Amino acid sequence: MCQAGPSALRLVFSFGLSALAVVLTLAILTLLFGRLFCSFMCPLGSFLSFVALFSKKGRKKIFPITGGLILGLFVGAMVFGLALVFRLLDPYSLFGRAITAPLWFGIVFFVVILVVTLLFGRLFCTSFCPVGLLLSLLAKRSAFGISIPDACVHCGKCENVCPTGCIDQKKNEVKREYCVMCLDCLTVCPRTGPTFSFLWKSSEKEKAPDLERRKFLVSLSVGAGVGLAGGGVF
């Protein structure tokens, strides 16, 4: 009842007050604290948080084009009442199928997700999960989150331990839309590194154009077009 994916589907296909309450609550939480849901409320996300502790160190890659295409496909198909893309990749549904489906499916799923997470961190959460991609639209403007102060010594420890690759120390930047609030970066810094702070400030530094954001929006438009076309044909 409290999961984002099933609640969103219930809200779209069979409007209910309980589903509306869950969706609004999660939206407010995301606007306040970013993608808190991904590490502390999502069953698959909680599992991946643990696995990511043992993942390969180093900055992880983010694929905004893949994420935009998947989210666009989902939105476009939903216009025609098709939830196939969402159901296939919804983390709650995936985790549930892995546990309740035939043994071979569960074994294959866990092996694949383990290998992917160990090699690439939480790639699923940043580039494939429809729930995470939807939450990222709100998390971009969250009130609280991880930030890097100007006094950072750029030792690289937080960047190496971040499971999503959202920290860029050279730019003193944390990409909030990809941060899943695992808080691992706060535990490794020896000095004045990442902090959990209030981010809605009256004056912010002027930033360079976000090329990743542009790629995401372009791929989102393409995905939505494909989803609309596919839904119409179906």
Side-chain angles (χ1 to χ4, degrees):
M1 290 293 293
C2 296
Q3 289 300 310
S7 295
L9 290 179
R10 287 200 307 272
L11 183 63
V12 173
F13 292 110
S14 58
F15 179 83
L17 292 179
S18 61
L20 178 62
V22 172
V23 170
L24 287 178
T25 299
L26 293 178
I28 293 171
L29 278 175
T30 305
L31 280 172
L32 287 175
F33 304 109
R35 291 173 59 173
L36 196 70
F37 174 86
C38 296
S39 288
F40 295 97
M41 300 175 69
C42 172
L44 181 57
S46 299
F47 175 69
L48 295 182
S49 289
F50 174 73
V51 176
L53 294 175
F54 308 97
S55 66
K56 183 180 178 181
K57 302 305 178 184
R59 191 178 180 190
K60 308 300 188 295
K61 290 186 178 181
I62 298 172
F63 300 95
I65 294 178
T66 303
L69 283 173
I70 289 176
L71 187 58
L73 283 170
F74 158 65
V75 173
M78 288 288 280
V79 172
F80 290 92
L82 300 176
L84 179 62
V85 176
F86 194 97
R87 290 186 186 278
L88 286 176
L89 295 176
D90 170 45
Y92 182 77
S93 301
L94 272 177
F95 198 73
R97 284 198 298 269
I99 294 175
T100 61
L103 181 62
W104 66 267
F105 181 89
I107 293 175
V108 171
F109 170 78
F110 281 110
V111 169
V112 170
I113 204 73
L114 278 171
V115 171
V116 170
T117 305
L118 288 173
L119 293 178
F120 306 106
R122 297 185 64 170
L123 178 66
F124 175 80
C125 301
T126 60
S127 304
F128 294 93
C129 175
V131 172
L133 293 169
L134 282 173
L135 293 178
S136 70
L137 301 178
L138 299 175
K140 176 76 174 177
R141 303 296 179 185
S142 61
F144 295 90
I146 307 299
S147 63
I148 300 179
D150 293 334
C152 175
V153 297
H154 305 294
C155 67
K157 289 187 177 180
C158 61
E159 204 172 81
N160 287 334
V161 79
C162 177
T164 65
C166 68
I167 298 178
D168 188 340
Q169 282 200 328
K170 292 182 179 179
K171 298 180 180 179
N172 272 25
E173 178 185 20
V174 177
K175 297 174 182 177
R176 281 181 272 172
E177 64 268 39
Y178 298 115
C179 176
V180 294
M181 297 303 294
C182 65
L183 307 181
D184 290 345
C185 57
L186 301 183
T187 65
V188 297
C189 180
R191 295 187 181 180
T192 53
T195 58
F196 184 78
S197 56
F198 181 69
L199 302 174
W200 283 354
K201 299 178 181 178
S202 56
S203 60
E204 292 187 356
K205 296 179 180 179
E206 186 176 345
K207 295 180 179 180
D210 191 339
L211 298 181
E212 286 190 355
R213 186 73 172 173
R214 291 182 180 178
K215 292 178 182 178
F216 178 83
L217 293 175
V218 170
S219 59
L220 175 64
S221 302
V222 173
V226 173
L228 284 169
V233 172
F234 181 83

